[in-house]
Amino acid sequence: MASNVEVKDLLEAGVHFGHLTRKWNPNMSPYIYMERNGIHVINLYKTVAKLDEANEALKKIAASGRKILFVATKKQAKDIVADKVSKINMPYITERWPGGMLTNFVTIRKAVKKMASIDRMKKDGTFNTLSKKERLQVDRLRAKLEKNLGSIADMTRLPGAIFIVDTMREHIAVKEAQKLNIPIFAIVDTNSDPRPIDYVIPANDDAGKSIEVIMGQVTEAVAEGLAERKNDKQEEKEAPVAKEEAPVKEEKAAEPVQEEKPAVEAKEEPKVEEVAKEEAKEEPKPAKTKAAKADDLTKIEGAGPKAAEALVNSGIDTYAKLAKADPEKIKEILTEASSRMAHLDPTSWPKQAQMAADDKWDELKEWQENAKGGVE
């Protein structure tokens, strides 16, 4: 986990400064500490608690292999976000938010592919066969696409989460993410509505220092999640090699036992010892299965971290169990856990879980992409 930020650091960065009291949103009252000189002061202890909660969730999403889209188009935040996020290789939007970026993702991908086709034209020499006027037009188009969509060129599917700086300014991004059930993380000031946000970080979203401190903590948590995923992959590769070496060692250890059988009286005693050893070896096996890790249910399209947590708490902690579950029962579990998850539609979750349980990941990915494109 990223190192917990201290209240003193947030205070020095001016994270506690809110907006004028006349501009406040009443829904932010739980996060407001006091009012001074006509300005609301944010409770930094709650900011620290919410920041830790958001970092933990972001770390899990990054470890699962899903992308996190960062959005910050305001002047104070765009350079900071671009600098921090580019280091962890995550997509970000710092220019104008393209309408339909999430809800019409297929069309946005076509624009990105157009940019790639122009690059191919320049490499294979086709670009030089165009007239001067056409070359200028293509160059201008390429520059425009690079400015607006260059940072999301590697995002081949919808993100696993979206992180927003200033929800008032990026209200379209919030609505699109809500419509697609994408978890929303955001820096929320005293003039914003925290209700549509899944993970609220109450803080000053106008000061550069404030944004830099929060973004530093967030990107550090994401980087840890990526490092954890990398380590897990390495362990998976090394595991088969260790399994192959284990039987060879057992055979070598068994050889001296077979040679020591000269006396008739001594035959029975080693057998009893061997049986005891075999029972001792077999006993720990069921304990391992009990302590088995729960499957990462966030890989199911439409299931965010909170939905996955609700399912695990109800006993549905594996793909196999989710595949057998009734969609109506899943809906009841989600609604009981939180009324904010009542809008989720789990109809396709058992089908996706069955593909995941059968290790048909390519088929699952193809199905999810088709579903996003409106095929299903």
Side-chain angles (χ1 to χ4, degrees):
M1 183 74 197
S3 57
N4 292 340
V5 66
E6 293 183 3
V7 173
K8 185 182 177 182
D9 298 330
L10 298 181
L11 192 67
E12 288 174 356
V15 176
H16 60 293
F17 290 119
H19 278 266
L20 294 170
T21 52
R22 60 188 172 84
K23 290 185 178 181
W24 82 309
N25 189 310
N27 294 304
M28 280 297 290
S29 58
Y31 307 107
I32 294 173
Y33 178 67
M34 64 180 292
E35 173 197 336
R36 177 168 287 185
N37 299 330
I39 294 173
H40 276 129
V41 177
I42 296 167
N43 189 335
L44 293 182
Y45 289 101
K46 291 193 176 181
T47 300
V48 170
K50 288 290 183 180
L51 182 58
D52 289 343
E53 183 186 339
N55 284 348
E56 189 63 37
L58 285 167
K59 184 180 175 182
K60 286 181 181 177
I61 293 169
S64 70
R66 304 293 296 276
K67 293 283 186 182
I68 300 163
L69 177 64
F70 290 80
V71 184
T73 60
K74 66 195 304 182
K75 190 177 179 182
Q76 305 96 304
K78 56 164 51 176
D79 292 336
I80 296 166
V81 171
D83 179 51
K84 298 275 186 188
V85 178
S86 58
K87 290 176 182 176
I88 56 173
N89 197 27
M90 285 288 174
Y92 58 90
I93 297 288
T94 53
E95 297 299 327
R96 181 184 67 84
W97 172 264
M101 169 72 208
L102 300 176
T103 52
N104 195 16
F105 186 68
V106 176
T107 306
I108 298 295
R109 279 300 301 165
K110 285 178 183 176
V112 173
K113 286 177 182 176
K114 176 69 176 174
M115 190 165 61
S117 69
I118 293 172
D119 291 338
R120 282 197 299 272
M121 282 172 62
K122 290 185 176 182
K123 285 181 180 178
D124 61 21
T126 313
F127 182 74
N128 296 326
T129 61
L130 302 174
S131 65
K132 186 179 178 181
K133 185 178 180 181
E134 287 174 329
R135 286 200 300 271
L136 282 170
Q137 288 175 339
V138 170
D139 278 334
R140 284 171 188 161
L141 176 62
R142 175 70 177 79
K144 185 180 178 182
L145 291 171
E146 177 64 37
K147 183 181 178 183
N148 294 327
L149 306 173
S151 57
I152 61 162
D154 297 331
M155 195 171 76
T156 55
R157 57 182 295 192
L158 284 172
I162 182 170
F163 188 98
I164 297 171
V165 178
D166 193 350
T167 54
M168 289 281 284
R169 187 183 179 93
E170 316 298 344
H171 63 280
I172 299 173
V174 173
K175 286 179 181 176
E176 287 191 28
Q178 269 188 298
K179 192 172 182 181
L180 296 172
N181 302 325
I182 296 172
I184 306 169
F185 298 75
I187 298 176
V188 184
D189 211 330
T190 57
N191 67 332
S192 304
D193 187 0
R195 289 176 298 177
I197 313 303
D198 297 302
Y199 293 89
V200 177
I201 303 173
N204 181 359
D205 62 11
D206 295 306
K209 284 185 179 179
S210 170
I211 296 166
E212 189 170 4
V213 168
I214 302 293
M215 287 304 301
Q217 289 291 313
V218 167
T219 51
E220 191 179 336
V222 174
E224 285 184 12
L226 294 172
E228 191 178 295
R229 177 175 171 78
K230 191 177 179 181
N231 292 336
D232 289 344
K233 282 187 174 180
Q234 286 179 348
E235 286 175 8
E236 285 175 10
K237 287 179 181 178
E238 291 170 2
V241 178
K243 284 179 182 178
E244 288 174 6
E245 290 176 357
V248 177
K249 289 180 180 178
E250 286 177 6
E251 287 173 10
K252 287 180 180 178
E255 284 175 5
V257 177
Q258 290 175 359
E259 289 174 5
E260 292 177 2
K261 293 182 181 178
V264 178
E265 294 178 359
K267 281 183 181 177
E268 292 179 5
E269 291 179 4
K271 284 182 180 178
V272 174
E273 290 175 3
E274 284 173 11
V275 171
K277 285 178 182 178
E278 286 175 4
E279 287 176 356
K281 285 179 182 177
E282 289 175 4
E283 283 176 5
K285 287 182 181 176
K288 286 181 182 177
T289 53
K290 287 180 184 176
K293 283 186 178 179
D295 291 331
D296 184 7
L297 301 182
T298 57
K299 290 183 180 178
I300 302 300
E301 190 63 40
K306 288 189 176 179
E309 187 180 347
L311 291 172
V312 171
N313 291 339
S314 67
I316 303 173
D317 56 355
T318 63
Y319 296 129
K321 289 180 183 178
L322 182 57
K324 293 176 183 177
D326 181 39
E328 291 183 6
K329 184 185 175 184
I330 297 169
K331 185 83 172 173
E332 287 176 15
I333 291 167
L334 298 175
T335 308
E336 285 175 12
S338 174
S339 59
R340 291 178 65 184
M341 291 193 283
H343 67 284
L344 295 176
D345 182 14
T347 311
S348 66
W349 293 9
K351 182 180 177 181
Q352 294 183 62
Q354 188 60 56
M355 285 187 260
D358 296 338
D359 285 333
K360 297 179 180 177
W361 294 106
D362 292 336
E363 187 180 332
L364 175 60
K365 187 178 179 182
E366 186 180 351
W367 185 91
Q368 289 175 342
E369 286 177 354
N370 289 338
K372 289 167 202 163
V375 177
E376 182 160 331

